[in-house]
Amino acid sequence: MGKRALITGITGQDGAYLSNLLLNKGYEVYGAVRRTSSINTGRLSELGILENINIVTMDLSEITNIQRVIEKIEPDEIYNLAAQSFVQTSFDQPIYTSEIDAIGVSRILEVIRTMGGKSKFYQASTSEMFGKVQDSPQNEKTAFYPRSPYGVSKLYGHWMTVNYREAWNIHACSGILFNHESPLRGIEFVTRKISLGVAEIAKGKKEVISLGNLNAERDWGFAGDYVEAMWLMLQQKSPKDFIIATGETHSVRHFAEKAFSVIDVDIEWDSNDDVELGKCKKSGKALIKVNKEYNRPAETDHLLGDATLAKNEIGWEPKINFNALVEMMVKKDLLRVEQGPVWF
Ligand code: NAP
Ligand code: GDD
């Protein structure tokens, strides 16, 4: 019989890609879903895998349901992907974010420990823990300096994972993943906001995309590549933490230029007035407008990851590069805008 995996956050971007990967490897996949008033399994449906997943109800805020679910399933592997994952929201909901992204991790680890530590555990850590970066590129030895309640909460989850490994000998790993995107990315994140905006402009359904800090730099990879790293980490004899990144960084400004180039529009920037604009070179029409409301109270200005250790020790490397990623996202959104409502 195949292995059993429990994935929290299965309705999110990574949950969908990871489920697909594990099903293809013959796993029995259990997906933890929190109770909501409407169905939000659309990503799993889009990949055509919803029917193959055993959906269980579980919220990270409540230890009793975590215990019941883990006792019932007895998973070989637990992937903790559930989180309040939007950095901007974490400034307005810092307590809730800590409750899920920090204490939620302790709840799962504590259940694993009291059950004898049999399930392997993967924690979805993040490059946002580097925040105000102390060194560049960032690797496993770089000091953390989180810049958001989200980053601070995730750092707690990260250290708890390390601590349960060292104190209780649990096979627990923390994957420090840099930003990863895809056509299944939530529309509030900047890459998808841009790809969808470009598609809507191309189809005459939108005039302008409003963005915040255009100069922020991120190391953007493809989510489909990154879930492979999660799985690889749990297949190693000894648990260890790894940086997962492409080793390339690009600004939001560059991402936007690249996305417009997919629909053959060249952007030129005009910062003569108070408001910076990205204009179509040919027509002069404003297509991007900077709106300071999207700026964060504290920003992570620059992220660039060094995934050499993952390459050498677990044989992981990204397959999709920056240009291919942008093109994939814009082309998928062009189809969606053409064919019908975009639900996520
Ligand atoms: P995502 O699309 O926002 O998905 C987050 C998932 O967590 C959703 O399934 C959500 O359920 C679930 N969730 C939120 N609160 C919950 C709660 N209280 N109880 C149970 N489930 C809850 O995020 P993602 O991009 O797939 O990222 C997956 C994980 O990796 C997250 O932990 C994120 O912080 C981390 N991460 C992401 C990146 C990245 O660039 N994508 C990089 C580093 C780390 P609903 O559908 O009900 O909202
Ligand atoms: N969301 C958003 N919307 N971001 C904008 C906008 C905008 O209109 N304009 C500029 N940005 C800038 C943000 O200020 C930030 O510097 C950058 O674009 C990326 O923002 P997001 O796409 O929201 O991602 P993030 O880097 O804050 O967080 C994502 O990556 C982390 C890993 O580093 C999330 O997926 C986190 O969950 C993840 O841990």
Side-chain angles (χ1 to χ4, degrees):
M1 208 166 88
K3 285 189 204 167
R4 263 194 308 276
L6 171 65
I7 303 175
T8 74
I10 200 157
T11 54
Q13 170 189 256
D14 291 6
Y17 285 111
L18 180 63
S19 306
N20 198 29
L21 180 84
L22 297 185
L23 286 168
N24 285 334
K25 290 186 183 297
Y27 276 68
E28 207 178 310
V29 176
Y30 289 80
V33 172
R34 61 175 164 168
R35 194 265 156 191
T36 46
S37 65
S38 29
I39 296 166
N40 63 352
T41 46
R43 293 186 174 93
L44 301 170
S45 300
E46 181 147 334
L47 294 186
I49 55 173
L50 180 58
E51 306 306 315
N52 306 325
I53 291 165
N54 305 287
I55 298 287
V56 291
T57 307
M58 185 176 116
D59 198 302
L60 251 55
S61 60
E62 165 87 48
I63 193 164
T64 59
N65 73 157
I66 298 176
Q67 183 152 1
R68 269 193 298 277
V69 165
I70 296 182
E71 272 176 4
K72 190 165 172 212
I73 298 170
E74 294 187 346
D76 299 289
E77 297 171 8
I78 299 175
Y79 295 86
N80 182 33
L81 310 186
Q84 190 304 91
S85 71
F86 192 38
V87 172
Q88 181 90 55
T89 292
S90 78
F91 288 101
D92 295 323
Q93 300 179 6
I95 317 286
Y96 174 73
T97 302
S98 312
E99 190 59 59
I100 305 308
D101 299 10
I103 306 299
V105 184
S106 291
R107 292 189 182 100
I108 301 179
L109 285 167
E110 202 42 25
V111 170
I112 295 175
R113 176 171 85 96
T114 52
M115 284 185 60
K118 286 186 286 268
S119 304
K120 292 183 180 178
F121 178 74
Y122 172 86
Q123 168 58 14
S125 290
T126 164
S127 47
E128 186 66 16
M129 300 186 309
F130 293 120
K132 189 172 179 181
V133 297
Q134 299 298 292
D135 212 348
S136 201
Q138 297 83 53
N139 64 26
E140 289 79 1
K141 294 203 161 65
T142 306
F144 298 118
Y145 193 141
R147 290 275 279 174
S148 60
Y150 168 80
V152 174
S153 305
K154 282 284 187 176
L155 190 51
Y156 171 99
H158 170 75
W159 282 119
M160 272 297 176
T161 304
V162 173
N163 185 254
Y164 271 66
R165 176 169 77 219
E166 293 177 354
W168 305 112
N169 216 15
I170 289 170
H171 194 296
C173 309
S174 165
I176 305 175
L177 272 52
F178 281 61
N179 298 50
H180 45 279
E181 319 295 312
S182 74
L184 297 184
R185 187 58 143 152
I187 51 173
E188 68 274 45
F189 298 97
V190 76
T191 56
R192 182 78 201 292
K193 186 173 170 184
I194 293 171
S195 69
L196 183 58
V198 167
E200 287 175 331
I201 287 171
K203 301 289 174 193
K205 302 222 156 126
K206 197 184 184 85
E207 297 276 314
V208 166
I209 308 173
S210 293
L211 295 173
N213 179 9
L214 294 173
N215 298 321
E217 292 171 334
R218 291 292 182 273
D219 180 331
W220 280 298
F222 171 53
D225 288 345
Y226 283 42
V227 297
E228 276 194 54
M230 298 175 185
W231 175 77
L232 279 168
M233 277 185 225
L234 288 201
Q235 309 317 305
Q236 306 308 305
K237 260 211 168 110
S238 338
K240 202 169 178 175
D241 308 326
F242 290 97
I243 294 279
I244 300 299
T246 69
E248 258 186 51
T249 191
H250 299 269
S251 63
V252 171
R253 186 186 299 278
H254 185 222
F255 190 102
E257 287 167 356
K258 202 76 221 168
F260 272 105
S261 79
V262 177
I263 58 162
D264 295 323
V265 169
D266 287 333
I267 295 290
E268 63 183 356
W269 300 96
D270 178 352
S271 48
N272 287 332
D273 301 322
D274 264 6
V275 178
E276 185 170 9
L277 297 174
K279 292 181 173 171
C280 170
K281 222 178 217 170
K282 220 176 186 176
S283 68
K285 196 166 181 284
L287 301 176
I288 298 168
K289 195 172 179 182
V290 169
N291 181 343
K292 292 198 171 109
E293 271 181 32
Y294 291 110
N295 287 358
R296 293 171 182 181
E299 176 67 294
T300 292
D301 294 315
H302 164 84
L303 289 173
L304 172 63
D306 173 3
T308 307
L309 193 70
K311 184 179 174 189
N312 292 342
E313 294 202 7
I314 62 173
W316 181 85
E317 273 188 285
K319 297 186 188 91
I320 303 279
N321 68 20
F322 176 77
N323 287 349
L325 174 68
V326 180
E327 195 173 318
M328 178 201 304
M329 291 179 71
V330 174
K331 285 194 167 159
K332 184 69 194 185
D333 275 328
L334 283 165
L335 275 180
R336 284 182 176 134
V337 173
E338 214 169 76
Q339 288 169 358
V342 184
W343 66 269
F344 58 80

